[in-house]
Amino acid sequence: MCGIVGYIGNQPAVVRLFNGLRELEYRGYDSAGLAVLQPDGLRCFKTVGKLDNLATKLGDYESSGPVTAIGHTRWATHGKPTEANAHPHGLTHSQVVHNGIIENYVALREAVETPFLSQTDSEVIVHLFERHLAAQAESTPNQRVESSSATDDPAIDPALAAFRATLDTLHGAYAILLISETAPGRIFFARKGSPLQLGFAEDGCHFASSDAPLVGVCSQTLYLEDGHWGVATPEGLTLFGADGSPAVLAPKPLPASSLAARKEGYRYFMEKEIYEQPRVLADILTGRLSKQAVLLDELDADWLRPIASVTLCACGTSYHAALTGSYLLERLARVPARVEIASEFRYREPVLDPNGLFVVISQSGETADTLEAIKLAKAQGLSTLALCNVDNSSIVREAERTLLLRAGIEKGVASTKAFSAQVLTLWLLALYWGQERAVLSGERHARELSALRAVLNVMQVQPRVHERLHRLSKRYLHGHGFFFIGRDLFYPLALEGALKLKEISYLHAEGYPAGEMKHGPIALADAELFTIALMARSTLYEKVKSNVEELSARDATIIAITTEYFELADDIIQIRSYGHPMLEFFEMLVVVQLLAMEIAIRLGNDVDMPRNLAKSVTVE
Ligand code: AGP
């Protein structure tokens, strides 16, 4: 996902923008740039590749005195990662940065005469702005508005009117910051379908496309809502709603320090976040477990009572959590559960139970397909619930109820602690709902509560296991592919293990139901085919064991993750036996996360920012 930062004030702008862009790096990008407007003019710097390249281009350039500046990290959608396609995009007097997609940009480009320098949709914004500005100047000659005389009334202020006229022609999703020599000391902003927020500090006004750049800079932030637009100065902002009427926003608190988003001695954010999982799970359980029951204050029995079915919908790793949740909801709440991949669901013309519950799961809360899926379900009258890690995100704003994941900022693009947080939250939801429906025996309910209390230590990384995985990883750096296989709850875990390996090692891996191997995939079995078998002692162990035997008989290389010695395994990663599937699930999860990371490290990959990936996919 692209990242946006902005600053207006009297302090050095480049260092402030850079610090902000560094906080957004984890989201993945392929080019970056910034524009700085000072009394002596407007300068723009942009490069392909990482921020270090931009730093080289900037050299020791820094602003001084009153300044207005915007910055951007781009994850290419329209047009390859090139310098010309990097943001900001500028014309004679103005520069713009944009997140989202302008769906009618082709028609708009054809309508403007000025030549385009890039292949992007975003560039059309600055062309339209300057065209409207020129039209304003023609209709009201000699009324060039300086910031000192700016009225912030679109009816009078030409720059604001030109910005408004530009927005009125855009279709699609956008978060925009625009600066112009015609309006020094002001940043024009707009949000529709792509997050944008701002905060005020002693040194001026700061913009960002997420919390991270503002944490430790501002104590509060204003989360712009869809349709909001306006203009900001170091002292304040003029905010309008989609209809042009004045709007008001209540500030929300920001965490005091960005320390939590630092590596703290780990090699990668991903490694830190794997090791953080026990604390995250403890945070999730805080206030939610009494001696006799699961407590979910965000929900209530009356709201759940009329609901007779549930649909879970998500993308990627969050989809794997959804699939895991479907087993738990049917088993513990006895509610029919189906699972949907959001990008498929949106266009399938689904027939939904209007008395059903639609649960969307998202770490970022900004995944475009998942956001559109919940809107579709709401339009069909379903109750909606979001499991999300980012409060005030687009998906949280859309959902009727929310269970926040409490996982903290997740900076590794490959999701780890957010996934375990999603699964634990779904386990709590299933148990809570089962309590409300009174479908659990006392013994089963007590067993689940006991397992929930034990979950914290099963995710504690054991140094001997991590060391073993580090040593083992050297054997699995090639081959013609990996199969992760499991049954029941361990099938979605197999999918997740395969995705973790794929996205950071770039090796091919597939998650598969163990029982399906003989229906075709076993044709691939040979010594170069690495099979990671999730052999949970608590769940269909003998069935999985026979599936593994079939593979081993055809010389496949077997890595068994299991509780005890298994003679057919070429390698074994031993986990502790608990007798409860969810405890085995969480301990195996740590193993597949660390295995993927250790293989990727040996291959020299960027574990935190894998190629081609973004932390949040806010485009289709
Ligand atoms: C997870 O490792 C991936 N980065 C990706 O599959 C991610 O889970 C997916 O894009 C959904 O993102 P979300 O949870 O923020 O909606």
Side-chain angles (χ1 to χ4, degrees):
M1 174 175 169
C2 308
I4 285 179
V5 293
Y7 171 66
I8 327 169
N10 294 314
Q11 299 305 310
V14 172
V15 63
R16 282 167 170 76
L17 292 189
F18 240 85
N19 290 341
L21 292 177
R22 289 276 185 215
E23 293 300 327
L24 294 170
E25 275 198 294
Y26 74 97
R27 307 166 81 87
Y29 66 104
D30 43 49
S31 56
L34 53 87
V36 180
L37 174 59
Q38 293 189 110
D40 64 354
L42 181 55
R43 296 192 62 181
C44 179
F45 306 84
K46 50 189 192 178
T47 60
V48 178
K50 299 302 181 189
L51 287 176
D52 293 344
N53 298 350
L54 185 59
T56 305
K57 187 152 206 173
L58 280 159
D60 55 7
Y61 171 77
E62 178 54 277
S63 66
S64 62
V67 62
T68 312
I70 56 178
H72 190 267
T73 49
R74 177 176 184 253
W75 185 63
T77 53
H78 291 73
K80 290 186 179 306
T82 62
E83 185 167 318
N85 288 337
H87 299 212
H89 293 289
L91 207 57
T92 318
H93 304 293
S94 317
Q95 292 280 343
V96 70
V97 291
H98 163 242
N99 281 357
I101 286 189
I102 308 299
E103 292 172 351
N104 60 332
Y105 83 99
V106 173
L108 293 173
R109 278 179 78 132
E110 286 161 4
V112 297
E113 297 80 34
T114 38
F116 279 72
L117 303 176
S118 79
Q119 305 156 300
T120 68
D121 54 335
S122 310
E123 185 184 350
V124 77
I125 298 167
V126 73
H127 288 260
L128 290 167
F129 174 75
E130 293 209 0
R131 190 178 70 162
H132 286 299
L133 205 58
Q136 298 272 346
E138 279 166 23
S139 62
T140 50
N142 308 322
Q143 192 186 5
R144 185 170 183 275
V145 175
E146 293 299 338
S147 63
S148 53
S149 61
T151 66
D152 291 351
D153 175 350
I156 304 172
D157 177 346
L160 202 54
F163 187 61
R164 170 69 193 268
T166 300
L167 298 179
D168 288 345
T169 58
L170 304 181
H171 301 160
Y174 50 76
I176 294 170
L177 293 184
L178 185 145
I179 57 177
S180 177
E181 289 173 322
T182 62
R186 301 163 83 198
I187 288 188
F188 299 94
F189 62 84
R191 177 219 154 114
K192 179 175 173 251
S194 187
L196 189 62
Q197 60 194 89
L198 67 151
F200 291 90
E202 283 180 22
D203 63 349
C205 173
H206 299 259
F207 277 90
S209 50
S210 72
D211 278 354
L214 303 181
V215 171
V217 174
C218 308
S219 58
Q220 295 183 316
T221 185
L222 297 167
Y223 293 101
L224 297 173
E225 298 181 4
D226 277 358
H228 277 172
W229 64 284
V231 60
T233 67
E235 295 74 36
L237 81 155
T238 303
L239 181 65
F240 301 100
D243 61 359
S245 59
V248 179
L249 267 179
K252 304 270 185 174
L254 278 169
S257 156
S258 62
L259 195 61
R262 295 277 176 266
K263 288 182 193 161
E264 291 169 6
Y266 291 97
R267 290 169 292 175
Y268 296 98
F269 282 114
M270 181 178 179
E271 185 174 43
K272 172 173 171 260
E273 287 151 9
I274 290 170
Y275 276 73
E276 275 179 348
Q277 290 179 120
R279 181 185 58 68
V280 167
L281 300 193
D283 290 348
I284 291 166
L285 292 179
T286 302
R288 288 177 162 162
L289 270 189
S290 74
K291 281 198 181 333
Q292 297 80 26
V294 166
L295 312 168
L296 287 180
D297 298 339
E298 300 93 332
L299 308 181
D300 60 67
D302 296 341
W303 186 69
L304 279 175
R305 189 165 296 112
I307 292 168
S309 69
V310 59
T311 299
L312 301 108
C313 185
C315 302
T317 282
S318 299
Y319 168 72
H320 301 154
L323 195 52
T324 308
S326 68
Y327 287 85
L328 297 170
L329 284 160
E330 292 211 336
R331 205 157 278 165
L332 299 175
R334 306 307 294 159
V335 176
R338 80 183 200 189
V339 194
E340 299 277 359
I341 290 174
S343 55
E344 288 297 307
F345 172 78
R346 290 180 63 189
Y347 301 103
R348 198 166 54 69
E349 298 169 34
V351 176
L352 299 175
D353 169 5
N355 299 316
L357 175 63
F358 196 80
V359 180
V360 288
I361 301 169
S362 175
Q363 188 287 128
S364 64
E366 299 301 343
T367 300
D369 287 319
T370 309
L371 178 60
E372 292 308 315
I374 189 173
K375 288 177 182 175
L376 194 157
K378 280 177 76 173
Q380 293 202 26
L382 278 76
S383 302
T384 56
L385 171 66
L387 271 60
C388 185
N389 200 33
V390 180
D391 200 358
N392 293 298
S393 60
S394 302
I395 285 174
V396 166
R397 293 158 184 262
E398 199 61 42
E400 195 181 335
R401 302 278 180 119
T402 294
L403 289 173
L404 288 174
L405 297 176
R406 305 182 181 177
I409 291 180
E410 184 177 68
K411 304 203 81 168
V413 167
S415 186
T416 50
K417 63 178 183 174
F419 175 71
S420 50
Q422 290 165 350
V423 172
L424 179 59
T425 304
L426 284 161
W427 187 9
L428 289 171
L429 172 64
L431 204 42
Y432 174 80
W433 204 346
Q435 286 166 189
E436 296 305 322
R437 290 168 56 89
V439 293
L440 286 168
S441 69
E443 185 275 332
R444 180 63 186 275
H445 187 239
R447 184 163 165 263
E448 293 301 314
L449 289 177
S450 162
L452 274 168
R453 291 190 185 93
V455 79
L456 306 188
N457 52 37
V458 302
M459 292 210 84
Q460 201 72 43
V461 175
Q462 299 174 70
R464 66 171 182 79
V465 172
H466 194 170
E467 176 52 31
R468 172 150 175 67
L469 289 165
H470 167 67
R471 289 200 313 274
L472 201 63
S473 60
K474 59 179 171 293
R475 298 181 190 162
Y476 298 102
L477 304 180
H478 49 85
H480 62 220
F482 292 77
F483 270 108
F484 287 70
I485 64 171
R487 284 180 180 251
D488 197 90
L489 288 164
F490 299 87
Y491 163 47
L493 183 56
L495 293 173
E496 176 57 14
L499 179 60
K500 285 288 97 46
L501 185 63
K502 271 189 283 232
E503 61 182 337
I504 60 176
S505 73
Y506 317 147
L507 297 174
H508 181 72
E510 272 187 79
Y512 233 87
E516 274 291 288
M517 292 307 287
K518 55 185 172 300
H519 297 287
I522 201 165
L524 294 173
D526 62 25
E528 288 301 294
L529 179 80
F530 303 139
T531 297
I532 288 98
L534 307 182
M535 301 175 70
R537 173 58 62 183
S538 63
T539 308
L540 300 169
Y541 178 82
E542 293 303 327
K543 298 286 184 192
V544 179
K545 185 178 172 195
S546 65
N547 299 143
V548 175
E549 284 162 353
E550 291 154 9
L551 282 157
S552 176
R554 290 157 180 84
D555 208 23
T557 298
I558 306 295
I559 307 148
I561 304 177
T562 188
T563 54
E564 59 198 50
Y565 177 71
F566 175 52
E567 69 283 356
L568 293 180
D570 300 277
D571 279 309
I572 292 183
I573 296 107
Q574 201 143 2
I575 63 165
R576 292 159 289 187
S577 172
Y578 303 94
H580 191 289
M582 287 310 293
L583 299 180
E584 289 184 315
F585 181 102
F586 281 112
E587 184 159 358
M588 284 191 189
L589 172 60
V590 176
V591 171
V592 298
Q593 290 169 341
L594 290 172
L595 177 64
M597 185 185 76
E598 290 300 335
I599 289 174
I601 291 171
R602 281 189 185 274
L603 291 170
N605 295 350
D606 185 339
V607 169
D608 284 335
M609 291 186 282
R611 68 184 186 193
N612 307 338
L613 297 185
K615 183 60 184 171
S616 171
V617 183
T618 58
V619 294
E620 288 199 31

